[in-house]
Amino acid sequence: MKKTVFIFLPLLALFACSRPSGADLKLNDLEYFERQGVNFLVFSNTFSGGFNDEKNSGIEVIHHGVRTIQGGAIRLSNTPEQWDLVPQSTSRTVNRDAGTIEVGLRYPDYDFDSRIVATAVGKAVRIDVYLDKPLPEALEGDAGFNLEFLPSQYWNKAYLMDGKASRFPRYSASLTTTRPNEEKVKQFKGYRTYDDRGTGRFVDPLPISVGHSFLAAPDAPERMVKVTSEEAELMLFDGRLLAQNGWYVLRSLLPAGKTGKVLSWTVEPNAVAGWVREPNLGFSQVGYIPSQPKVAVVELDKQDKVRATAEVYRVKEDGTTAKVFSGPVKTWGDFYKYKYAKFDFSSVTEPGVYFLRYGDVQSDDFIIGEDVYDRITDATSDVWIPIHMNHMMVNEGYRVWHGEPFREGYLQAPANTDHFDLHSQGVIDTKYKALQLIPGLNVGGYFDAGDFDIETGSNINVVQNLVSDWERFKPLRDETFVSQEQRYVDLHRPDGVPDVLQYIEHGTLNLVAQAENIGHMAQTLSNSVLDNYHHLGDAASITDGLHYDPRLKPYQKSADGKSSGTPDDMWAFTTRNPYLDLQAATMFAAASRALAGYNDDLSRRALTQSKRLMKEGTELMANSPMGARARGRGGFGNMSTNLQLFVSTGEQHYLDDFVQQVWPALDRNVNSAIAAALDAIPYMDDSYRERLRPYVEQYKQYMDSLEVQNPYGVPIGLGNWAASGSVVSFGTTASFASKYFPDIIGPEYALKAASYMFGCHPYHNYSLVAAVGATRPKEVFYGNNRADFSFIPGNVAPGVLFRHPDHFENYDDWPFLWGQNEGTIAGNTGYLIFGAALQNLLSR
Ligand SMILES: [Ca+2]
Ligand SMILES: [Ca+2]
Ligand SMILES: [Ca+2]
């Protein structure tokens, strides 16, 4: 977790008496089974996320602070993948008197219901599965009770099956078999996660171990779990055979033709006697400027007690260290699972290298210096963004990140298609027929995130963010060679053009192509088949680069080598969304300004599309239920669009419309409208700024209220995608508010957001930004190289994800949970603005 001078024994002695380690599991007020070191959750989180099996649900165990087991449920395959069917939870009943949690599970596709009853029995939980009707025949031999173990916490550790010792494999290399596709249990909406290469057969992993008594990790007491079943056979599988994000799966098949109690397991996670979670010392791994407030947040086990003092040490030039400050640690209070305290060492201001010590815990070292924030966006700008440029080959030194993807272009998506990445095509509303090539779309644009689609809304945000960066801060940094003619990008090779301009051009090229060739904005340009959507590797190998010709057989190429019968071409989902058109209009107006004088042709085309989409989008919105809903929600319609169009054209009516909208929007919700209102200041007179003043004061009250809402004083979200994006936005708005209203809002709010991003947050204290500036950045991210347990420099993780009812987590040894570890192109360009705004604020 962090560098530690480890003297654990005094802690054990101190706290062993406060909660007897021999205590049994108890059903607590938060409706899970608990003893010190073990949280045993039964469907506190259901399979209701947007992407089927998110490895976040069912029966879960948080074992000595780490969620190492999840996915406990009736499942229909040996090693469930993300798009395998997941059960609906039809009921969840907690019976305090009986000490049980009962859940009803249903697979509507098979009209298959089951019930799971979990009962604490001493230090174990007994899991009983009941069927009121026999298993549907179609699921015999497939339906079973599964429990999944986190590979990175178990690999290389030992396990015993019926007393026989083996080791969890570091990498999957166990036996598989193939079965006819007809035997495959249906996957999500009938899609297939696999390409059978014309064999008509799917791969099914074989168990690596079978028995009735399974003991995981006897060699690692914090991970030791015993599972037994007298009747049912336990089988251990390696889920990574089918999907790199698979877990180890322990399962038993449900018996055919039986009702009543059909399966019973006993699961006993070990609790280490006297264990108390090591304090997590939150601080900025990037460091601090001398004048800024410096407050470390200490996250503590509720069994732990707050120490009176903490210390700051300085690393001296001869390599020795000396204590330079000792100060009080003040209790903040409880926040979900842990309790928190704060240590203020703002008085340490001399530039140098330091570390913190809290009892036996020593932090990584950090720097105090005027320039610590100067390089926080360099990796994002020089490395992460150019690597995500679509339709280009991207080279860095000796390494090619990817070749030129999607050379065959994009086909019109067929009508009435639901998509696995949450899009859908309604009736075709373009001049193209289903599966007809839409010309001109394979240019420019950015990969969405860890996947390779062009998410139009995100790409609009990207261009908007980059223009905002360009217009406000004029970054002339030139570290990237970009040639649209060669379709080639070379990292760390200056070419005489500011990179931000080239990035704006690249995004605009694709979006203008959409508007011109489709007539309006597509929702997405995305994969047509699921088995290349989850692609890991070179983006240029996702499709075969040949036009799809249905007259050929799959895997067959035409005589001229230009087309193939493999239906792997990407699709454009074109269903018109006027709100998206308005967002595009805003972005095109901004892009046309930035590109003027650099690429005049593209600048003119962008402005033409902006005006057209503004007019058409506004009319469509006025006449659509969506428009009415947006107004009902207090959305501010085309307010930002009007501002951007005024700035681009100087036409007064755009400004009048903006002014008419901005004050009611602020009155409705100052927190959501303040950023747009601040954006207008450079174009308005002093009276606008003065009228805005009370709203900024109101916003300050909100910012201050965060200090009592959570120990970190920034907006920590509890959603299914962690909240570093909202912390970054908060930091950006705080920076601008502080710049325009320094007498109301000081720089400390923006700096608090920076500290959170760089390590002062729950769970661990690693910087959430890959690679740059920090002593200890996170090491694994959900990028397109996630199978290598690696990162793309400059990526910004969503961060610390909330799991119901009381757990925050961010895995740094397991990249595959997107809600914690997947940086996005919109989020990362938003981080670029935050970095620039912060630097601008501090250089004042
Ligand atoms: Ca996507
Ligand atoms: Ca350049
Ligand atoms: Ca193709």
Side-chain angles (χ1 to χ4, degrees):
M1 192 175 234
K2 61 196 79 69
K3 196 162 68 188
T4 310
V5 183
F6 220 84
I7 312 165
F8 209 69
L9 283 173
L11 279 177
L12 296 186
L14 199 57
F15 300 110
C17 52
S18 65
R19 181 181 281 204
S21 60
D24 289 343
L25 283 168
K26 289 277 183 317
L27 185 52
N28 68 17
D29 292 343
L30 295 170
E31 301 189 339
Y32 63 81
F33 301 108
E34 184 184 18
R35 61 193 290 231
Q36 179 69 5
V38 177
N39 303 159
F40 200 110
L41 280 57
V42 181
F43 283 80
S44 296
N45 299 286
T46 56
F47 291 93
S48 58
F51 298 98
N52 274 27
D53 185 357
E54 302 191 76
K55 304 298 178 195
N56 266 339
S57 316
I59 292 175
E60 305 175 87
V61 177
I62 297 162
H63 206 182
H64 299 101
V66 183
R67 195 171 58 96
T68 51
I69 294 176
Q70 57 76 40
I74 303 299
R75 299 303 300 272
L76 309 182
S77 58
N78 290 331
T79 61
E81 295 176 65
Q82 184 186 337
W83 294 276
D84 283 337
L85 296 182
V86 293
Q88 293 175 352
S89 309
T90 51
S91 63
R92 181 173 185 272
T93 312
V94 177
N95 185 330
R96 293 198 171 279
D97 297 335
T100 63
I101 303 174
E102 173 170 340
V103 292
L105 299 179
R106 175 168 175 76
Y107 284 96
D109 295 77
Y110 290 92
D111 190 23
F112 169 43
D113 291 278
S114 58
R115 288 182 289 127
I116 293 178
V117 181
T119 312
V121 183
K123 297 175 178 56
V125 173
R126 199 180 67 236
I127 298 169
D128 298 317
V129 178
Y130 292 86
L131 297 182
D132 297 328
K133 286 192 292 187
L135 191 59
E137 250 173 64
L139 296 178
E140 289 177 6
D142 287 313
F145 179 77
N146 291 20
L147 201 59
E148 304 196 349
F149 292 70
L150 181 61
S152 55
Q153 288 290 322
Y154 279 96
W155 60 41
N156 294 343
K157 294 188 172 78
Y159 69 86
L160 303 181
M161 186 67 95
D162 292 343
K164 183 186 171 307
S166 302
R167 207 165 283 287
F168 285 100
R170 175 64 182 80
Y171 198 89
S172 50
S174 48
L175 297 179
T176 61
T177 187
T178 64
R179 294 165 58 189
N181 282 339
E182 307 83 77
E183 291 180 17
K184 175 83 174 173
V185 172
K186 190 171 155 184
Q187 294 187 286
F188 176 66
K189 291 184 178 165
Y191 287 107
R192 269 194 203 155
T193 50
Y194 60 101
D195 175 355
D196 71 6
R197 304 309 297 178
T199 62
R201 301 179 73 83
F202 72 98
V203 175
D204 204 12
L206 294 170
I208 53 179
S209 210
V210 174
H212 289 272
S213 174
F214 174 70
L215 182 66
D219 51 345
E222 287 194 5
R223 294 289 161 265
M224 188 163 80
V225 178
K226 187 176 187 182
V227 182
T228 54
S229 179
E230 277 180 31
E231 302 286 322
E233 192 168 66
L234 302 170
M235 299 179 285
L236 180 66
F237 293 90
D238 191 337
R240 298 170 299 170
L241 288 164
L242 296 186
Q244 274 75 4
N245 62 351
W247 293 40
Y248 300 122
V249 180
L250 192 69
R251 82 179 315 226
S252 294
L253 290 175
L254 299 183
K258 286 200 174 165
T259 56
K261 191 190 330 184
V262 295
L263 191 90
S264 188
W265 280 19
T266 302
V267 180
E268 184 179 340
N270 181 52
V272 174
W275 177 84
V276 173
R277 183 176 181 262
E278 183 188 317
N280 170 31
L281 203 43
F283 73 103
S284 169
Q285 297 269 0
V286 163
Y288 303 88
I289 60 170
S291 62
Q292 83 173 87
K294 304 173 195 72
V295 181
V297 177
V298 191
E299 181 180 67
L300 292 162
D301 195 307
K302 280 186 185 158
Q303 300 299 313
D304 209 339
K305 72 169 190 184
V306 177
R307 300 183 65 89
T309 60
E311 295 81 37
V312 181
Y313 285 74
R314 179 157 190 188
V315 178
K316 298 196 292 185
E317 289 186 11
D318 62 359
T320 62
T321 63
K323 191 195 306 187
V324 294
F325 177 75
S326 177
V329 179
K330 292 186 180 150
T331 300
W332 183 87
D334 291 352
F335 182 64
Y336 293 98
K337 189 179 286 180
Y338 300 120
K339 72 176 160 193
Y340 293 83
K342 294 193 181 190
F343 170 54
D344 189 330
F345 58 101
S346 302
S347 63
V348 181
T349 58
E350 202 182 323
V353 181
Y354 297 87
F355 61 84
L356 307 177
R357 191 172 279 189
Y358 174 85
D360 300 321
V361 178
Q362 179 180 320
S363 75
D364 295 310
D365 61 51
F366 60 89
I367 291 170
I368 294 179
E370 291 291 353
D371 62 349
V372 294
Y373 298 120
D374 285 5
R375 288 168 298 279
I376 56 174
T377 59
D378 292 357
T380 308
S381 174
D382 294 359
V383 185
W384 198 91
I385 291 173
I387 285 172
H388 287 74
M389 292 170 98
N390 201 340
H391 305 118
M392 306 289 265
M393 175 163 171
V394 179
N395 182 72
E396 179 182 28
Y398 291 8
R399 174 187 203 169
V400 170
W401 280 90
H402 58 79
E404 184 195 332
F406 314 128
R407 286 183 303 276
E408 66 269 68
Y410 297 81
L411 311 182
Q412 168 71 56
N416 306 318
T417 306
D418 266 349
H419 191 240
F420 34 81
D421 201 17
L422 306 184
H423 294 283
S424 65
Q425 174 72 48
V427 293
I428 292 176
D429 51 356
T430 68
K431 62 186 177 189
Y432 305 98
K433 295 195 198 62
L435 301 184
Q436 187 181 347
L437 181 72
I438 301 178
L441 298 181
N442 57 339
V443 62
Y446 292 90
F447 301 143
D448 178 26
D451 49 6
F452 303 90
D453 52 326
I454 290 188
E455 200 72 64
T456 300
S458 299
N459 272 261
I460 289 171
N461 279 327
V462 168
V463 174
Q464 197 86 64
N465 286 339
L466 293 169
V467 172
S468 169
D469 189 29
W470 175 250
E471 293 194 327
R472 283 159 159 152
F473 309 114
K474 275 285 178 303
L476 299 175
R477 192 175 180 88
D478 174 21
E479 281 296 323
T480 312
F481 170 93
V482 182
S483 168
Q484 293 294 339
E485 196 189 340
Q486 296 174 23
R487 297 212 166 203
Y488 195 92
V489 176
D490 199 15
L491 275 52
H492 317 300
R493 173 187 289 276
D495 63 359
V497 184
D499 299 334
V500 169
L501 273 185
Q502 291 169 311
Y503 300 162
I504 292 168
E505 177 184 42
H506 194 72
T508 307
L509 277 169
N510 185 268
L511 295 163
V512 163
Q514 287 190 26
E516 289 178 345
N517 293 299
I518 296 171
H520 54 264
M521 304 313 293
Q523 295 175 23
T524 185
L525 308 181
S526 192
N527 307 68
S528 61
V529 281
L530 181 54
D531 71 63
N532 71 19
Y533 172 68
H534 51 56
H535 179 87
L536 293 171
D538 185 347
S541 60
I542 295 173
T543 63
D544 59 11
L546 309 173
H547 293 290
Y548 171 55
D549 182 345
R551 293 168 301 183
L552 298 168
K553 292 199 183 98
Y555 316 108
Q556 188 187 3
K557 279 184 198 166
S558 63
D560 65 0
K562 287 182 179 163
S563 46
S564 83
T566 306
D568 64 1
D569 295 18
M570 304 282 280
W571 287 353
F573 287 76
T574 60
T575 300
R576 188 166 199 173
N577 171 353
Y579 187 65
L580 197 61
D581 287 348
L582 285 181
Q583 288 178 314
T586 308
M587 170 275 306
F588 283 139
S592 76
R593 297 194 302 272
L595 291 168
Y598 167 58
N599 184 336
D600 287 327
D601 173 60
L602 190 60
S603 167
R604 271 192 301 270
R605 287 161 63 199
L607 189 59
T608 302
Q609 296 305 324
S610 175
K611 288 180 172 170
R612 182 176 66 83
L613 291 177
M614 175 70 181
K615 183 169 173 295
E616 294 178 13
T618 304
E619 285 166 12
L620 286 166
M621 283 288 276
N623 300 325
S624 81
M626 187 184 291
R629 271 205 306 281
R631 284 190 298 280
R633 281 199 310 267
F636 33 83
N638 54 5
M639 179 171 106
S640 296
T641 313
N642 282 315
L643 180 66
Q644 292 300 327
L645 284 167
F646 165 70
V647 177
S648 288
T649 64
E651 290 174 24
Q652 182 66 30
H653 65 100
Y654 290 131
L655 187 64
D656 295 344
D657 285 350
F658 170 79
V659 170
Q660 205 174 39
Q661 288 170 308
V662 67
W663 304 113
L666 284 163
D667 286 333
R668 278 196 300 271
N669 187 337
V670 70
N671 296 352
S672 65
I674 191 78
L678 289 167
D679 281 348
I681 284 183
Y683 314 108
M684 309 296 268
D685 59 19
D686 285 349
S687 68
Y688 176 83
R689 190 188 293 224
E690 280 317 299
R691 193 170 164 193
L692 198 51
R693 176 170 287 274
Y695 295 101
V696 175
E697 283 164 351
Q698 207 182 322
Y699 186 62
K700 180 179 185 296
Q701 286 173 15
Y702 157 73
M703 295 166 102
D704 288 333
S705 75
L706 292 169
E707 278 291 322
V708 288
Q709 281 178 27
N710 69 65
Y712 299 94
V714 295
I716 296 179
L718 303 179
N720 212 29
W721 191 281
S724 67
S726 58
V727 175
V728 165
S729 299
F730 171 83
T732 303
T733 306
S735 296
F736 286 121
S738 177
K739 182 181 160 78
Y740 296 131
F741 296 91
D743 55 320
I744 303 175
I745 291 178
E748 62 271 20
Y749 300 93
L751 287 163
K752 238 181 331 193
S755 289
Y756 184 90
M757 294 305 296
F758 300 139
C760 189
H761 52 67
Y763 195 71
H764 56 55
N765 63 7
Y766 310 147
S767 169
L768 300 173
V769 185
V772 83
T775 320
R776 173 55 167 98
K778 267 178 66 59
E779 288 178 343
V780 305
F781 287 71
Y782 186 104
N784 57 43
N785 60 349
R786 59 191 175 276
D788 302 320
F789 288 73
S790 187
F791 55 86
I792 299 178
N795 203 0
V796 183
V800 186
L801 185 70
F802 182 67
R803 309 304 310 140
H804 291 286
D806 65 347
H807 186 66
F808 284 97
E809 82 183 6
N810 179 275
Y811 288 130
D812 198 47
D813 58 353
W814 191 250
F816 298 106
L817 275 70
W818 47 86
Q820 315 182 358
N821 285 333
E822 184 177 20
T824 66
I825 185 74
N828 288 354
T829 50
Y831 172 76
L832 213 59
I833 310 266
F834 167 60
L838 182 68
Q839 287 158 357
N840 179 263
L841 176 68
L842 298 177
S843 69
R844 204 174 41 195

